[in-house]
Amino acid sequence: PISPSPSPPIPGFLRLHFEVEDTGYGICNEDLDQLFEAFVQSKTRRGFQEGTGLGLPISREFARLMGGDLKLLRTAADWGTTFAFEIQATQAEATQVEPKIPPQRVVGLESEQPMYRLLVVDDSWENRQLLLKLLQPVGFNVRDAIHGLEALSVWESWQPHLILMDLRMPVMDGYEATQRIRSQLKGEATAIIALTAHIFREEKAAIVAAGFDDVASKPFRDVELFAAIAKHLGVRFVYEELEGNESKALDHLLAPEAIASLPKEWLSRLEQAILYGDLEGIEEAIARIRTQEEAIASALQFYLNNFDYPKVLTLIS
């Protein structure tokens, strides 16, 4: 049931306070009264394709169900917005927390396999970049398209082995593009995985019935995505064997003498790219190292993927 108001403090519970700040468009004063109304978007967001106006109402109800509340702290046009919420929680003993073994991270493709071609189709630049940066370092040959019509053109000329297809796109959506591919005989040889942010079991069955081989949910989880690719292409991956956050294998690969064997110019470019937050520069530097030392590049990529930039800077210095 939806709680009509925040729950009163519960004796023995802790109140955890969170603040979330963005650097977006801000919220107009005339929209403040309707901020938590369902299916209502602020004036600054109207006209954008994303969003249903449900994010804030649902978030507030989740906070209230956990004994807290969600409130607007501050906002300003062209500056951003800050929300705060509280929840009530009890302190757990360490023995009550069941340790989870983290899944193995994919670091590459096994040798003696085809050069797999993957096509990413999504009208969101951020989503395309996320998938490109996830798939290319592993060893896939990846191209992207911004809508279904462009995807058809790339598919016709490039013949990808697998397509990651968004469902909702302008010009031509993923459903129509997939149906057109399946209408051709050679289209049956292409695996197509649907990308969608909202999925229930019944919807997944309907999507598969529409011609897709599988469904992947947004936000993307690399473990699930690589598992789906392996399932439909038979790809064999190379995995990292980790012991805690830093494995002995990684430490051995990134020993001082191993790092010193790399050209100083390459290390300097990687260092500068990290210090300036230049993601493209980081990617280029790792790609350059990979041409000479595949194992060292993959080890560095592991720490960079986990945002452990201080670790890499220490190794370089």
Side-chain angles (χ1 to χ4, degrees), residues 24 29 37 56 66 68 71 73 75 85 100 115 128 131 138 149 152 163 232 253 255 268 311 317:
N29 290 332
E37 294 292 330
L56 285 176
M66 290 185 282
K71 298 179 180 180
L73 278 189
T75 185
F85 68 93
K100 293 184 178 180
M115 174 57 77
R128 295 198 309 275
L131 289 171
V138 172
L149 189 60
L152 286 176
I163 301 175
H232 296 287
L253 286 172
S268 177
K311 172 77 174 182
S317 63

Side-chain angles (χ1 to χ4, degrees), residues 17-208:
H17 180 83
F18 301 84
E19 292 186 9
V20 182
E21 179 181 289
D22 67 30
T23 55
Y25 296 95
I27 301 172
C28 299
N29 290 332
E30 55 266 34
D31 290 325
L32 296 180
D33 291 339
Q34 295 181 305
L35 196 57
F36 292 100
E37 294 292 330
F39 302 108
V40 175
Q41 286 185 309
S42 67
K43 186 178 297 183
T44 54
R45 291 295 299 165
R46 290 168 197 159
F48 287 76
Q49 184 181 0
E50 293 95 348
T52 59
L54 285 174
L56 285 176
I58 291 175
S59 297
R60 184 176 65 172
E61 294 307 328
F62 273 130
R64 289 183 171 181
L65 287 170
M66 290 185 282
D69 199 9
L70 173 68
K71 298 179 180 180
L72 172 68
L73 278 189
R74 50 187 173 270
T75 185
D78 298 323
W79 177 84
T81 305
T82 302
F83 286 91
F85 68 93
E86 292 184 347
I87 63 172
Q88 299 189 50
T90 57
Q91 186 171 348
E93 297 295 332
T95 55
Q96 295 177 272
V97 180
E98 182 179 349
K100 293 184 178 180
I101 300 175
Q104 290 179 302
R105 180 178 294 275
V106 172
V107 296
L109 301 175
E110 287 188 8
S111 58
E112 299 181 359
Q113 294 189 90
M115 174 57 77
Y116 290 104
R117 299 182 298 276
L118 273 59
L119 174 60
V120 173
V121 189
D122 200 307
D123 60 317
S124 166
W125 181 87
E126 291 82 1
N127 287 341
R128 295 198 309 275
Q129 288 301 304
L130 176 62
L131 289 171
L132 288 172
K133 292 182 184 299
L134 177 66
L135 298 171
Q136 285 177 332
V138 172
F140 289 116
N141 189 357
V142 189
R143 292 188 184 180
D144 63 322
I146 62 175
H147 49 64
L149 189 60
E150 184 176 357
L152 286 176
S153 177
V154 176
W155 172 78
E156 189 68 42
S157 61
W158 195 50
Q159 290 297 292
H161 297 91
L162 182 141
I163 301 175
L164 296 170
M165 183 84 75
D166 189 24
L167 294 180
R168 294 178 55 189
M169 294 179 290
V171 183
M172 181 184 292
D173 63 23
Y175 288 103
E176 184 177 352
T178 298
Q179 289 171 359
R180 293 197 183 190
I181 290 173
R182 294 300 190 215
S183 67
Q184 301 187 42
L185 183 61
K186 61 182 179 180
E188 295 301 319
T190 304
I192 306 178
I193 299 177
L195 304 177
T196 180
H198 310 286
I199 184 67
F200 295 98
R201 182 177 299 177
E202 296 80 4
E203 292 176 311
K204 181 176 181 179
I207 291 172
V208 172

